[in-house]
Amino acid sequence: MPYHANPTPDGSKPIAVVTGASSGIGEATARQLAEAGYRLVLGARRLDRITALAAELGGEACHLDVTQRASVDAFAARLPKLNVLVNNAGGALGMEPVAQSVDENWRTMWETNVLGLMMMTRACLPALEASGAGHIINVGSIAGLESYPNGAGYTTAKHSVVVITETLRVELLGKPIRITEVDPGMVETEFSVVRFGGDVDRAKNVYRGLTPLVAGDIADIIAWAVTRPPHVNIDHLRVTPLAQATATLAHRVG
Ligand code: 8X3
């Protein structure tokens, strides 16, 4: 869809940061924001991938590990002004009942999805405010709105993202910073392959017999949300494939 970035108060090109921009929703969002007229600053651990993407889209790439305070602060220090922060870095590791929880998986999920998002947001808030028209997009999940068996390491982390978004909406009232959370259901990306430790067949089975969302579907929604007129704040969007009603209820054919 052709969306157009709102003009900045000083007429300069608006700047958008996308975390986890090396693949999936992050990469697709970078592409659509570039098309909408943003100058990109891409962050990810896989620097080779985002360097190529930034060269293609005309932005900058910078190594970013959202779980490391020094990495986050060094990244944010490059940005005196920032219009859009897309907190996309995150993901799931494993699926097991609480009784068999894997400490390391929980720790990683909480560090990336919760502490990483908090540290990036905290570090970028001054630049978002300085722009005169900032916007935070938190990429959450349907897992932030529901619980499901064997998923608590991830669902607890994504529930926290919902609470952080709601808290920021109240705390930022009166400042020129919009905040939106997008909560996708099934999106076919590397997400399930990573969750299942590289087991491609198990990952494919998640989307068996239905048409899942693709990364571009979520990127389209993010690009739409950030290009609404500056007085319009889209709070929260829950987005699933037509064939998915809840985190655990999908209509499959075959
Ligand atoms: C991904 C959706 O349902 O696998 O964020 O948790 S789910």
Side-chain angles (χ1 to χ4, degrees):
M1 288 287 174
Y3 301 119
H4 301 288
N6 291 312
T8 59
D10 65 4
S12 59
K13 205 169 183 182
I15 300 170
V17 162
V18 182
T19 71
S22 54
S23 67
I25 293 171
E27 178 187 345
T29 300
R31 291 184 183 284
Q32 296 206 23
L33 293 184
E35 205 178 312
Y38 290 88
R39 188 166 79 76
L40 296 169
V41 183
L42 305 178
R45 284 175 303 182
R46 294 180 287 191
L47 187 59
D48 51 335
R49 288 208 192 185
I50 54 170
T51 300
L53 187 62
E56 184 191 334
L57 301 177
E60 289 168 53
C62 183
H63 181 268
L64 174 66
D65 181 345
V66 297
T67 69
Q68 300 301 316
R69 172 86 188 260
S71 175
V72 168
D73 289 350
F75 186 96
R78 304 160 64 102
L79 305 160
K81 285 186 184 176
L82 177 62
N83 298 92
V84 172
L85 167 63
V86 182
N87 279 317
N88 166 70
L93 280 182
M95 276 194 92
E96 59 280 312
V98 172
Q100 273 93 50
S101 293
V102 178
D103 295 4
E104 209 35 53
N105 287 351
W106 276 64
R107 196 167 283 119
T108 302
M109 286 189 277
W110 275 76
E111 285 187 349
T112 51
N113 294 292
V114 185
L115 289 168
L117 180 141
M118 176 277 285
M119 289 197 289
M120 270 308 287
T121 303
R122 183 180 59 195
C124 291
L125 276 172
L128 286 161
E129 189 168 1
S131 75
H135 196 153
I136 300 166
I137 299 277
N138 286 339
V139 179
S141 169
I142 194 172
L145 308 173
E146 298 177 36
S147 308
Y148 53 82
N150 309 323
Y154 185 60
T155 57
T156 54
K158 288 302 194 186
H159 274 69
S160 294
V161 173
V162 173
V163 176
I164 294 169
T165 304
E166 289 175 357
T167 305
L168 282 166
R169 181 73 182 105
V170 177
E171 290 177 353
L172 297 176
L173 194 62
K175 293 186 188 290
I177 304 176
R178 299 188 285 178
I179 181 154
T180 301
E181 177 160 335
V182 181
D183 288 335
M186 290 179 190
V187 186
E188 192 161 12
T189 60
E190 289 176 1
F191 175 86
S192 292
V193 179
V194 172
R195 178 176 227 174
F196 299 131
D199 185 337
V200 175
D201 290 339
R202 193 172 172 201
K204 270 200 183 334
N205 199 43
V206 172
Y207 314 106
R208 174 187 47 81
L210 55 78
T211 304
L213 300 172
V214 295
D217 295 324
I218 303 304
D220 177 69
I221 288 160
I222 293 170
W224 172 78
V226 299
T227 55
R228 294 313 83 211
H231 67 286
V232 177
N233 190 91
I234 307 295
D235 266 21
H236 206 143
L237 289 162
R238 177 188 186 276
V239 189
T240 61
L242 175 61
Q244 182 185 20
T246 72
T248 50
L249 184 63
H251 175 71
R252 299 180 196 271
V253 178

